Amino acid sequence: MQTGGKDAEALAAASVVARSVPDLPPGAVLAAADVRGRMMRDLRISVTDRCNFRCTYCMPKTVFGRDYPFLPRSEILSFDEIVRVARIFSSMGVRKVRLTGGEPLLRRNIEYLIEMLAAIPDLELTLTTNGSLLTRKAQGLRAAGLQRVTVSLDALDDATFRRMNDVDFPVAEVLRGIEAAAAAGLPVKVNMVVRGGANDHAILPMARYFHGSGHILRFIEYMDVGSSNGWKLDEVVPSAEVVRRIDAELPLECAESNYLGEVAERWRYRDGGGEIGVISSVTQAFCATCTRVRLSTDGSLYTCLFAQQGHDLRAMLRNGSSDEEIIASLAAMWRVRNDNYSERRNANTPGLQKIEMSYIGG
């Protein structure tokens, strides 16, 4: 990414805009709006490309086998580099950072990174995990400053769950991890990717189990992320069908969004038993309000989950570029952002070579 006179002008203009936004800290620089008027608010950081699961919709064994060449340590961003990036994005208006992977809890000493990130003012810090290591790590994560955890869980019956994670991991251990997180004081959200013919029979059992638990359960339409999961449109269970099935047994009512850009459509149980969410990237695209930017394990920046190309931020971090130069380059990148993959999805787009989910998280 190159900087120049035009970028300097954009930076100055962004500074003026920033001073008019009340929830930004003094001296913040706003990355202006993109082509569609979307602001930058959420940063997802993949801290490792490795995972101890081989979920068929994310890291199928046929691609990510024993001999798969994962990134060497030298190509992965260090903790100091990640924190520098987070501080820069915070100064540009980002208000939420989510650590992802791969499986982020496999990153050695992840608690130290969380402690460093938690020191950044006015930043919501969350993490998404498969839950396999939560039982022993939840307390340390909370003590380090993590504010919330999201656990991926695709079924409650052990046979289906083991088949979905494809490493024979028991569902009971994930459920223990969820309770350990709650006991440590971490609010928990649970994400279920619904794949027709694979685990859609688990929709109601999941709803029953988490109804009244205090944990928010969210159902995610099966998406064509990456190029290795064999996605087929006829395996997508529309969110409307998920809501219909649950509402027939546990009546629901629509709830308002918590904030602009929230990807989950919220539904409350009429009996006061909490809420669920549905994330409908396939059938109800939410590109128009997307405020997310994603940093891959090796320091590439992606402005869409379905992106084919990224922006090499690692090079700027390691070539002596100043924060001001990086900010100017990022502002210029965001200003021309026009991503709307889910609005354009058709019979041909799933075949495009896209970045794998394990590199940039969900």
Side-chain angles (χ1 to χ4, degrees), residues 264-342:
E265 182 181 84
R266 298 173 59 223
W267 292 83
R268 282 191 299 261
Y269 290 112
R270 291 181 181 271
D271 64 2
E275 69 177 74
I276 65 165
V278 290
I279 299 176
S280 317
S281 175
V282 179
T283 64
Q284 300 176 52
F286 40 79
C287 302
T289 57
C290 178
T291 61
R292 295 182 176 183
V293 62
R294 292 172 166 84
L295 184 66
S296 71
T297 312
D298 59 356
S300 291
L301 206 64
Y302 293 87
T303 56
C304 178
L305 178 60
F306 305 96
Q308 294 176 269
Q309 292 183 324
H311 305 263
D312 188 0
L313 185 55
R314 186 183 67 190
M316 295 193 74
L317 293 170
R318 296 183 180 181
N319 69 7
S321 296
S322 68
D323 286 2
E324 291 74 18
E325 289 171 328
I326 294 175
I327 288 170
S329 185
L330 294 176
M333 174 206 72
W334 188 264
R335 192 174 61 247
V336 299
R337 175 182 184 246
N338 192 30
D339 299 297
N340 65 336
Y341 177 91
S342 290

Side-chain angles (χ1 to χ4, degrees), residues 53-166:
F53 284 10
R54 286 296 178 268
C55 298
T56 52
Y57 58 81
C58 181
M59 294 182 70
K61 281 182 178 177
T62 52
V63 176
F64 297 89
R66 292 181 179 274
D67 299 324
Y68 185 81
F70 289 101
L71 292 168
R73 187 171 181 177
S74 61
E75 294 185 19
I76 296 174
L77 293 186
S78 69
F79 285 179
D80 285 340
E81 288 171 330
I82 290 173
V83 173
R84 184 185 178 196
V85 169
R87 286 189 180 279
I88 286 172
F89 274 101
S90 176
S91 76
M92 299 176 74
V94 162
R95 286 292 160 268
K96 181 190 295 184
V97 167
R98 178 179 297 278
L99 301 181
T100 70
E103 171 47 51
L105 297 187
L106 290 179
R107 180 74 185 258
R108 197 172 189 180
N109 297 321
I110 187 71
E111 296 85 353
Y112 295 153
L113 173 61
I114 290 171
E115 187 174 1
M116 295 163 72
L117 291 170
I120 301 174
D122 304 311
L123 200 64
E124 182 181 354
L125 183 58
T126 69
L127 178 145
T128 296
T129 173
N130 61 30
S132 62
L133 301 173
L134 264 182
T135 303
R136 65 174 183 263
K137 281 188 169 283
Q139 194 67 49
L141 296 172
R142 183 69 184 96
L146 190 68
Q147 294 169 277
R148 192 177 72 245
V149 65
T150 297
V151 179
S152 300
L153 178 63
D154 295 327
L156 280 177
D157 66 281
D158 207 47
T160 300
F161 183 71
R162 289 175 188 259
R163 185 169 62 250
M164 295 286 287
N165 67 56
D166 208 18

